[in-house]
Amino acid sequence: MGILRTLAGLAFLVSIAALAWQARRALSQGPPRVEAPPRGRARDGVAYAFGRGMSPWAKESARLHPAVYLAGVLYHLGIFTSIGVVGLAVAGAPWLDRVSVVVAPLLALSAVAGIGLLARRVATPGIRTVSSPDDYASNLAATLLIVAALVSMASDGPAPSLLVVATLVFLYAPLGKIRHCVFFFLARAGFGRLLGRRGVLPGVAHGARP
Amino acid sequence: MSAGSDPRPAPVGAFEAALANLTDDTLAKVRRAFHAALHRGDAVHLEACVHCGLCAESCHYARVDDEKQSLPAYKLDLIASVYRRDRSWLGRVAPHWVGARDLDADTVREWVDALFGRCTMCGRCMVNCTIGIDVPTLVRAARSALAAAGLVPPELQATVDRALTSGNNMGISRDEWVETVRWLEDELRAELDDPSVRMPLDEPNATFLYTVNPREPKFFPLSLMAAAQIFHQAGERWTLSSDNFDLTNYGFFSGDDGAAATIAARLVASARELRTGTIVLGECGHGFAASRWHGPSWMGAAPDVTYRSVLEIVCEYIRDGRIVLDPTRSSKRFTLHDPCNLVRLGGIVEEPRTILSAAVTDFVEMTPNREQNFCCGGGGGQLSMTRFAKRRLAAGRVKADQIRSTGAAVVASPCHNCVDQLTELSKEYQLGVSVKTLCEIVADAMVR
């Protein structure tokens, strides 16, 4: 177990370093635009983008597909929770039953959501069209991580399979679609900043709305 | 009617010949220009798409057909896949695994068809994207790459060229413009029975330089007269320029930054020459966004002038009591079209509503509206690219349905390109509506 813990911990650090390097490279690529004087505040737009703008009623895409929205939220909650479980395993922290009682059902729901999203990708022609093998593999890998965390939660302690899966997922993350764990935040901030400066978004636009 | 049955435009002419026989040199040029067109922060958006496909319903093209090429995620991936091929490790060693593709002849042809012919750069997919990916900016970067290799559809390129050579996109000569302004001034004096009404040309030290879409002097003189009438009633000190009056900038749509900079700089030069610090942009969505938001980047520096939309000015006149409106003059029902580049991408969100609410008694919003509005289908240079006209009108069905459900008799549209498209949609879908600019509606309601 000791070597597996070490490997998972190292893989996590490698992943973080690679993702940080990629983010830095992407952020610094190309010349900066000369910006026009703002009409609204960028920070209001960023606050909207990560606040109200994430709500299902703010986006038509979420309103029209509430089940997909909910599955997406559950899936990502499960992924981050699983990473937390891996963290506990790597740190050798004790497995607490009262934590498992809360976390295990969440992970179970999350795994179902992950499988559901994968099924949707397979079954929907429009999405299949834009999907590459990496899209399927990334979904499977993250779902496997959730399942491994769930199995560990149901055990007396971290299962070796959790650490093996986590190591592989961490190492793959900077290479494929899982990179969006970083680029989501950067792009979302860019979106908020752009429309915040232009005074476009609700609550940021000039003049009160009825 | 369905765009699903719309075949690719028939290959005729030199442009099609060039597309059919793309050389390695041309492909290399497109590739270099694409990477050069990416500015700080753009790469983040190219890396972020998760291919969830939730953007599909946000696009007016994707709403009216079931072709994969109309999906925003597909259009974005046409661009992002090329980026991945060049800039990601797996894209280089295992391109199939991550859906990376070479910028080969087929890809370039698909770029032309999808990024010019199936996108108005309206930004609705960005607003509804789970992540907020700036699709319009990325589409424009790809268009820039095509422009660098001379692969802009010739009708759009001709509009840019006409603006560069004649000073405006309609090819109106200076004499013709000056003569038109003098004629409209006489008409206005006669109509208002007021010899003091002026349409000043080249007056120095005015409060602002007013700029228009050249469609106004050419086809819609009432629109220009309406603005002049409003400025006169408000006691404004304004001027037109006899040299540079065109606020449109089709370099924005073609992706040619050099042309866009030249066109944008002309208005600045005239403002400086006339010693005014403010350029007021008439009712034109892309013209507003081009000068107000993109101009500084194209020109390499923020100019020492302030850009304002005429809607901001008119809104202030109403608020300050400089003009008084009688909304009971018309009993018709009005609705408001939100031009994408003015509203969702421009920030002029509430002003048109304030104005229309003050000018008429029966104003019904479309659903959805404001930053969620649907593009009319005429943006992105579509009106000039006649080869894609069938698709443009098919995609406009979404807007036509919106208009019909309001029960309005008049559609207010603060953009002349949108006026053209909406007028065509009214005929195509038998909406029976008239389309007016906000200045025209305000002038009709103005108490003298």
Side-chain angles (χ1 to χ4, degrees):
Chain A
M1 280 296 278
I3 185 74
L4 290 179
R5 281 199 184 106
T6 306
L7 281 175
L10 281 175
F12 181 74
L13 292 176
V14 167
S15 186
I16 294 292
L19 288 168
W21 178 80
Q22 288 182 17
R24 188 166 179 269
R25 190 183 70 153
L27 281 170
S28 60
Q29 188 182 325
R33 287 189 174 82
V34 179
E35 292 193 312
R39 196 165 191 270
R41 290 192 301 190
R43 66 166 185 253
D44 289 347
V46 174
Y48 172 86
F50 288 106
R52 282 173 60 198
M54 291 296 287
S55 62
W57 50 88
K59 275 186 288 209
E60 181 187 79
S61 50
R63 277 199 309 275
L64 293 176
H65 304 278
V68 179
Y69 176 83
L70 185 63
V73 171
L74 277 172
Y75 184 46
H76 287 89
L77 272 176
I79 293 169
F80 284 111
T81 304
S82 301
I83 293 171
V85 172
V86 174
L88 289 176
V90 170
W95 239 223
L96 298 173
D97 286 347
R98 61 176 178 272
V99 174
S100 299
V101 167
V102 177
V103 169
L106 170 66
L107 291 177
L109 281 173
S110 176
V112 171
I115 292 164
L117 291 171
L118 182 61
R120 176 176 174 266
R121 186 172 295 282
V122 172
T124 313
I127 303 170
R128 220 168 41 231
T129 293
V130 293
S131 298
S132 63
D134 171 47
D135 288 302
Y136 299 99
S138 296
N139 186 316
L140 270 174
T143 305
L144 204 57
L145 178 67
I146 296 166
V147 170
L150 180 61
V151 169
S152 275
M153 278 281 119
S155 313
D156 293 337
S161 60
L162 172 66
L163 295 168
V164 172
V165 170
T167 301
L168 294 174
V169 170
F170 289 152
L171 290 177
Y172 184 66
L175 301 175
K177 172 192 173 169
I178 299 174
R179 285 183 297 171
H180 79 267
C181 62
V182 168
F183 288 109
F184 163 81
F185 293 99
L186 300 177
R188 191 81 189 146
F191 160 77
R193 186 175 185 281
L194 175 80
L195 296 192
R197 289 187 87 256
R198 294 189 186 181
V200 172
L201 296 166
V204 184
H206 277 230
R209 289 182 182 218
Chain B
M1 97 183 272
S2 163
S5 59
D6 181 13
R8 298 276 167 87
V12 284
F15 175 67
E16 283 70 19
L19 266 187
N21 302 296
L22 291 164
T23 63
D24 288 345
D25 280 352
T26 304
L27 295 173
K29 194 183 280 187
V30 175
R31 188 176 168 204
R32 276 196 308 274
F34 168 59
H35 289 293
L38 297 174
H39 284 73
R40 187 80 42 96
D42 294 349
V44 162
H45 292 269
L46 284 165
E47 300 268 19
C49 184
V50 294
H51 305 144
C52 70
L54 290 175
C55 51
E57 291 94 347
S58 67
C59 176
H60 52 295
Y61 283 96
R63 279 205 174 212
V64 299
D65 68 36
D66 49 11
E67 293 185 48
K68 66 178 183 183
Q69 292 90 344
S70 293
L71 294 170
Y74 186 87
K75 289 180 265 194
L76 171 63
D77 204 53
L78 280 178
I79 308 166
S81 59
V82 169
Y83 178 83
R84 275 200 297 279
R85 181 76 174 100
D86 288 345
R87 295 293 163 95
S88 81
W89 184 75
L90 270 184
R92 281 191 287 264
V93 301
H96 175 69
W97 182 257
V98 291
R101 62 159 85 187
D102 286 315
L103 191 50
D104 56 17
D106 286 340
T107 301
V108 166
R109 283 191 278 269
E110 208 171 353
W111 272 25
V112 170
D113 183 73
L115 305 182
F116 277 114
R118 293 179 189 270
C119 180
T120 53
M121 305 194 295
C122 77
R124 195 167 190 276
C125 52
M126 169 178 71
V127 170
N128 287 294
C129 170
T130 318
I131 292 170
I133 296 173
D134 189 354
V135 178
T137 295
L138 300 177
V139 167
R140 190 176 183 281
R143 286 189 180 194
S144 291
L146 295 170
L151 295 173
V152 175
E155 314 89 49
L156 176 57
Q157 187 59 50
T159 312
V160 177
D161 293 342
R162 202 157 43 241
L164 289 173
T165 53
S166 74
N168 62 86
N169 78 48
M170 301 290 295
I172 300 169
S173 71
R174 187 181 191 277
D175 288 350
E176 196 184 345
W177 161 245
V178 170
E179 205 173 295
T180 303
V181 171
R182 292 294 168 234
W183 166 64
L184 292 176
E185 188 178 59
D186 288 344
E187 288 289 310
L188 203 51
R189 283 174 179 166
E191 189 183 311
L192 301 177
D193 194 20
D194 182 353
S196 70
V197 178
R198 297 185 63 228
M199 291 183 67
L201 267 169
D202 301 327
E203 292 227 337
N205 303 311
T207 307
F208 60 76
L209 166 67
Y210 186 57
T211 58
V212 301
N213 186 314
R215 305 187 81 73
E216 297 184 51
K218 197 84 174 171
F219 303 121
F220 301 100
L222 288 180
S223 187
L224 181 49
M225 282 171 71
Q229 196 180 333
I230 294 167
F231 298 151
H232 172 72
Q233 191 75 20
E236 189 60 86
R237 289 188 60 233
W238 65 291
T239 189
L240 295 160
S241 163
S242 53
D243 292 317
N244 297 309
F245 60 87
D246 180 4
L247 71 87
T248 69
N249 194 330
Y250 277 73
F252 179 29
F253 294 144
S254 74
D256 184 341
D257 282 1
T262 302
I263 294 167
R266 284 175 178 159
L267 298 184
V268 177
S270 276
R272 283 179 186 147
E273 202 176 291
L274 295 169
R275 298 193 292 281
T276 179
T278 303
I279 295 173
V280 171
L281 304 156
E283 295 185 70
C284 176
H286 91 271
F288 176 80
S291 281
R292 173 69 177 84
W293 294 115
H294 302 286
S297 201
W298 294 331
M299 292 185 280
D304 52 351
V305 295
T306 302
Y307 294 103
R308 304 198 73 197
S309 161
V310 69
L311 302 184
E312 294 175 275
I313 302 290
V314 173
C315 207
E316 286 172 7
Y317 291 163
I318 295 170
R319 191 192 60 205
D320 299 343
R322 290 175 69 177
I323 59 172
V324 177
L325 306 184
D326 176 5
T328 63
R329 291 234 179 114
S330 175
S331 58
K332 289 179 179 172
R333 172 169 286 183
F334 287 72
T335 190
L336 174 67
H337 166 63
D338 288 300
C340 309
N341 274 302
L342 191 68
V343 179
R344 178 166 42 244
L345 299 171
I348 307 295
V349 183
E350 297 306 324
E351 288 84 349
R353 291 168 166 79
T354 304
I355 294 169
L356 199 54
S357 298
V360 301
T361 52
D362 191 1
F363 162 35
V364 180
E365 287 275 13
M366 288 189 208
T367 304
N369 55 60
R370 296 182 170 85
E371 78 281 353
Q372 287 288 350
N373 74 79
F374 276 103
C375 177
C376 64
Q382 295 301 330
L383 276 167
S384 60
M385 292 186 282
T386 47
R387 68 187 53 224
F388 300 123
K390 196 174 167 189
R391 277 185 205 160
R392 166 172 60 82
L393 288 171
R397 193 185 76 206
V398 179
K399 179 55 69 176
D401 289 345
Q402 269 194 295
I403 294 170
R404 187 178 281 119
S405 63
T406 64
V410 185
V411 180
S413 169
C415 169
H416 276 279
N417 279 3
C418 298
V419 166
D420 279 7
Q421 167 76 349
L422 293 169
T423 304
E424 274 198 66
L425 292 181
S426 182
K427 286 179 196 154
E428 178 79 11
Y429 295 99
Q430 299 177 331
L431 300 175
V433 295
S434 60
V435 186
K436 287 185 161 190
T437 63
L438 277 168
C439 282
E440 288 166 18
I441 294 166
V442 167
D444 287 345
M446 207 156 53
V447 177
R448 293 181 198 104

